[in-house]
């Protein structure tokens, strides 16, 4: 039976707001789940959306798909390289097209949310073949041929991942890949925990990361929550302070805590222009959301995106995924602000219907009932201006 913790949050009412981006809404359930703002997206059913692909009120409808002029990769300018930095190979695309700026999409790859699978499908190369036997040049040719035919791959010209912000601020759209915050946090914890392979092939990285998991009793995620986040946890105060800062993305322990906790939803959302038009793909409904975006751009059947084989998923296969009910409640409370930023991204997604939004909020509510209906948290939202300045 789940431990009932006290969560004295201010609950969501029918007067929800988020600066200039949210507006007054009604609950999508009696207990207070939020629905899509009428200013952000006129409420339409998913079925009618698929049938009609109609324009969405208060948003510029993307122009219909068209033939783009193909250009060689050497002629493509990179915002990141213009600042004097060399663009990592994984952030480049071998096939690019001359896309009208109002149609250009920047892919915001939030770590441990399914971004590698989507990114590889779009033509980027981060973790595309990790631990997978591929056919060398044949695999590259197959990727090139696929991205050449996919409309979404053509439109998605640049990428934003961690400290590589290779996007133009005037790009037409920002494409987020998101995942339930609790599941993402668990995956990120497992991903950065070094194993024998890491110590053999990346000893410096492994030794640095090992401090987080061994200097404090954080052996598995369940241990991290029970020992580090629980008030009565069996760890020194310094470990509890470290745990709280790490899960909130404000840890400064020389990159010892999980990287994808540091680069969190708050970081990615505050890094992009505040007036960006956001497209969102939910990890839990990835194919459905890809289709909704393609319908928004009037994509032809032969231009549909086919997902690449799952990539970079080892951390969720070989490590402990167990979390007790009590630990889930504690983790939800620690992630409260992160959950609010996750909800903001969902609300701003112009490709999502009211039904889809409510679906995700109800899924979130089943795991984090208090935080799902809160509009502010016990912890003050961190000021990450220094982090943005240091990384963007």
């Amino acid at each position: 039976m789940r431990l009932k913790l006290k969560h004295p949050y201010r609950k969501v009412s029918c007067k929800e707001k988020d600066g200039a981006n949210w507006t007054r809404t009604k609950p999508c359930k009696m207990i207070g789940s939020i629905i899509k703002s009428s200013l952000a997206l006129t409420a339409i059913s998913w079925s009618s959306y698929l049938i009609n692909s109609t324009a969405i009120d208060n948003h510029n409808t993307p122009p219909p798909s068209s033939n783009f002029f193909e250009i060689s990769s050497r002629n493509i300018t990179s915002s990141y390289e213009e600042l004097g930095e060399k663009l990592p190979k994984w952030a480049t695309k071998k096939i690019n097209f001359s896309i009208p700026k109002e149609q250009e999409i920047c892919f915001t790859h939030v770590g441990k949310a399914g971004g590698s699978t989507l990114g590889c499908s779009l033509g980027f190369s981060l973790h595309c073949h990790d631990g997978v036997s591929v056919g060398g040049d044949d695999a590259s040719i197959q990727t090139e041929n696929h991205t050449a035919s996919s409309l979404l791959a053509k439109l998605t010209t640049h990428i934003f991942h961690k400290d590589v912000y290779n996007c133009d601020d005037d790009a037409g759209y920002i494409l987020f890949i998101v995942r339930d915050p609790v599941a993402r946090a668990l995956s990120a914890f497992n991903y950065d925990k070094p194993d024998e392979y890491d110590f053999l092939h990346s000893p410096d990285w492994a030794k640095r990361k090992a401090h987080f998991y061994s200097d404090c009793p954080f052996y598995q995620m369940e241990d991290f929550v029970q020992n580090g986040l629980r008030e009565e946890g069996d760890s020194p105060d310094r470990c509890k302070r470290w745990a709280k800062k790490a899960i909130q993305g404000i840890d400064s322990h020389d990159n010892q805590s999980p990287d994808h906790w540091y680069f969190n939803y708050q970081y990615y959302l505050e890094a992009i222009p505040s007036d960006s038009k956001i497209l969102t793909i939910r990890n839990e409904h990835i194919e459905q959301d890809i289709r909704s975006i393609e319908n928004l751009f009037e994509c032809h059947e032969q231009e549909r995106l086919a997902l690449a084989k799952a990539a970079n998923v080892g951390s969720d296969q070989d490590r402990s995924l167990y979390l007790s009910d009590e630990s889930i409640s504690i983790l939800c409370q620690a992630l409260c602000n992160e959950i609010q930023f996750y909800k903001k991204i969902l609300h701003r997604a112009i490709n999502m219907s009211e039904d889809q939004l409510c679906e995700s909020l109800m899924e979130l509510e089943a795991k984090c009932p208090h935080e799902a209906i809160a509009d502010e948290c016990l912890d003050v939202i961190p000021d990450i201006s220094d982090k943005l300045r240091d990384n963007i």
Side-chain angles (χ1 to χ4, degrees):
M1 183 169 130
R2 175 172 293 188
L3 179 67
K4 293 185 178 179
L5 302 178
K6 293 183 178 180
H7 296 263
Y9 304 138
R10 185 159 62 87
K11 300 299 179 65
V12 168
S13 68
C14 62
K15 298 180 179 180
E16 179 66 52
K17 63 180 181 179
D18 169 36
N21 299 319
W22 287 11
T23 186
R24 300 179 187 275
T25 62
K26 301 177 181 178
C28 80
K29 291 181 68 182
M30 287 182 62
I31 56 177
S33 296
I34 314 163
I35 66 168
K36 177 69 74 176
S37 161
S38 60
L39 290 179
L41 177 62
T42 299
I44 52 176
S45 69
W46 172 242
S47 57
S48 64
Y49 181 83
L50 285 176
I51 295 171
N52 299 317
S53 297
T54 54
I56 300 174
D57 289 348
N58 299 314
H59 285 289
N60 293 328
T61 304
S65 61
S66 59
N67 294 322
F68 304 116
F69 176 71
E70 185 174 353
I71 57 178
S72 65
S73 58
R74 65 178 176 272
N75 292 327
I76 299 169
T77 59
S78 164
S79 302
Y80 192 76
E81 291 177 312
E82 287 174 358
L83 298 175
E85 301 286 346
K86 182 174 176 58
L87 191 66
K89 186 177 180 180
W90 55 259
T92 63
K93 292 181 67 169
K94 290 188 177 181
I95 293 181
N96 271 285
F97 296 81
S98 179
I99 304 296
K101 184 61 66 174
E102 67 272 13
Q103 287 183 278
E104 187 177 286
I105 298 173
C106 167
F107 173 44
T108 300
H109 176 172
V110 179
K112 309 317 299 174
S116 295
T117 297
L118 180 60
C120 294
S121 305
L122 293 172
F124 301 104
S125 57
L126 183 61
H127 303 305
C128 290
H129 306 304
D130 286 6
V132 179
S133 177
V134 295
D137 292 339
D138 291 340
S140 298
I141 293 171
Q142 184 178 11
T143 300
E144 290 181 19
N145 290 339
H146 171 66
T147 55
S149 62
S150 165
L151 175 63
L152 187 56
K154 289 178 182 179
L155 296 175
T156 308
T157 56
H158 296 83
I159 190 171
F160 171 27
H161 180 58
K162 296 173 68 172
D163 59 349
V164 176
Y165 185 87
N166 187 40
C167 297
D168 296 324
D169 285 345
D170 58 348
Y173 303 90
I174 303 292
L175 171 60
F176 274 85
I177 176 78
V178 298
R179 184 183 187 181
D180 154 36
V182 172
R184 195 185 83 86
L186 173 58
S187 182
F189 177 93
N190 288 334
Y191 182 69
D192 267 12
K193 185 178 181 181
D195 55 20
E196 292 182 5
Y197 181 90
D198 296 320
F199 279 104
L200 181 62
H201 294 88
S202 304
D204 292 339
W205 177 89
K207 289 176 183 177
R208 185 177 74 250
K209 288 296 181 182
H211 286 291
F212 180 76
Y213 299 89
S214 58
D215 287 1
C216 293
F218 301 159
Y219 317 113
Q220 301 290 350
M221 189 65 168
E222 176 74 7
D223 303 313
F224 168 79
V225 176
Q226 288 291 319
N227 296 328
L229 296 180
R230 189 168 61 94
E231 290 184 8
E232 303 82 7
D234 187 18
S235 65
D237 287 343
R238 64 175 181 83
C239 289
K240 291 180 180 179
R241 290 192 296 270
W242 192 1
K244 188 168 184 177
K245 287 184 177 181
I247 199 67
Q248 291 181 343
I250 55 176
D251 174 39
S252 59
H253 278 71
D254 300 322
N255 297 319
Q256 294 175 0
S257 58
D259 286 351
H260 295 303
W261 287 0
Y262 183 76
F263 295 106
N264 56 11
Y265 288 129
Q266 180 186 5
Y267 168 79
Y268 286 106
L269 189 57
E270 291 192 6
I272 65 173
S274 59
D275 59 349
S276 297
K277 296 175 188 174
I278 291 179
L279 304 166
T280 299
I281 294 176
R282 301 162 294 166
N283 175 278
E284 300 84 359
H285 307 281
I286 188 167
E287 299 242 11
Q288 182 187 68
D289 292 345
I290 288 172
R291 300 301 168 240
S292 73
I293 293 172
E294 290 175 333
N295 289 332
L296 200 64
F297 284 89
E298 299 184 12
C299 177
H300 299 138
E301 191 63 35
Q302 64 272 21
E303 298 175 312
R304 300 285 188 188
L305 181 73
L307 283 176
K309 291 183 179 180
N312 199 31
V313 297
S315 62
D316 285 347
Q317 293 178 334
D318 305 325
R319 308 285 173 81
S320 174
L321 300 179
Y322 173 74
L323 280 175
S324 64
D325 285 348
E326 180 188 24
S327 291
I328 291 175
S329 292
I330 294 171
L331 188 57
C332 287
Q333 183 171 347
L335 288 170
C336 182
N337 280 317
E338 179 74 344
I339 289 171
Q340 305 316 307
F341 282 98
Y342 168 73
K343 286 155 51 177
K344 290 180 184 182
I345 294 170
L346 293 178
H347 272 265
R348 289 182 57 184
I350 66 172
N351 62 297
M352 287 180 60
S353 70
E354 177 186 342
D355 290 344
Q356 290 173 297
L357 177 65
C358 284
E359 179 181 38
S360 287
L361 292 174
M362 286 187 287
E363 291 169 351
L364 175 64
E365 192 173 302
K367 186 175 289 185
C368 300
H370 303 285
E371 294 74 18
I373 63 174
D375 66 353
E376 64 179 29
C377 304
L378 297 176
D379 297 313
V380 176
I381 296 175
D383 180 355
I384 63 168
S385 53
D386 289 343
K387 179 163 72 171
L388 292 170
R389 184 175 61 251
D390 293 341
N391 290 282
I392 300 300

